[in-house]
Amino acid sequence: MDFKQLEYIVTVADERKLLSAAEKLYISSSALSQHVTKLENELGTSLFKRSKSGWILTRAGQIYVEMAENAMDISIQTAT
């Protein structure tokens, strides 16, 4: 499991704007978009509905983000 990828998706979901998420993650917006698109292709479903007003989670995206947050929490708990 790639925790960087989980962090990317959670951050985009939280920020709802690709540029804001990219700035927070210290990567370019195009690189972040490529990571999201690659994951969506691997999963075979869209995680976000993209619009000019922002990126909104699809139902699949909501499920993925919930799982990602749980996995990140478990990782933090076991590291301490």
Side-chain angles (χ1 to χ4, degrees):
M1 183 175 300
D2 184 353
F3 283 94
K4 180 172 62 171
Q5 192 174 52
L6 297 179
E7 180 183 16
Y8 287 176
I9 299 300
V10 169
T11 303
V12 173
D14 289 344
E15 295 294 319
R16 296 187 178 195
K17 298 281 186 178
L18 189 68
L19 183 57
S20 299
E23 288 172 351
K24 191 170 186 177
L25 294 164
Y26 302 104
I27 65 171
S28 71
S29 57
S30 63
L32 182 55
S33 179
Q34 289 174 6
H35 280 286
V36 173
T37 300
K38 180 182 176 193
L39 177 60
E40 290 176 327
N41 289 337
E42 289 173 7
L43 295 173
T45 190
S46 295
L47 299 177
F48 296 94
K49 179 181 177 195
R50 294 147 172 91
S51 72
K52 291 182 181 182
S53 60
W55 286 36
I56 307 301
L57 287 170
T58 63
R59 180 66 183 132
Q62 291 170 350
I63 293 167
Y64 189 89
V65 166
E66 183 177 318
M67 180 279 310
E69 290 172 335
N70 289 336
M72 291 166 56
D73 287 344
I74 290 168
S75 177
I76 290 169
Q77 290 172 5
T78 58
T80 57

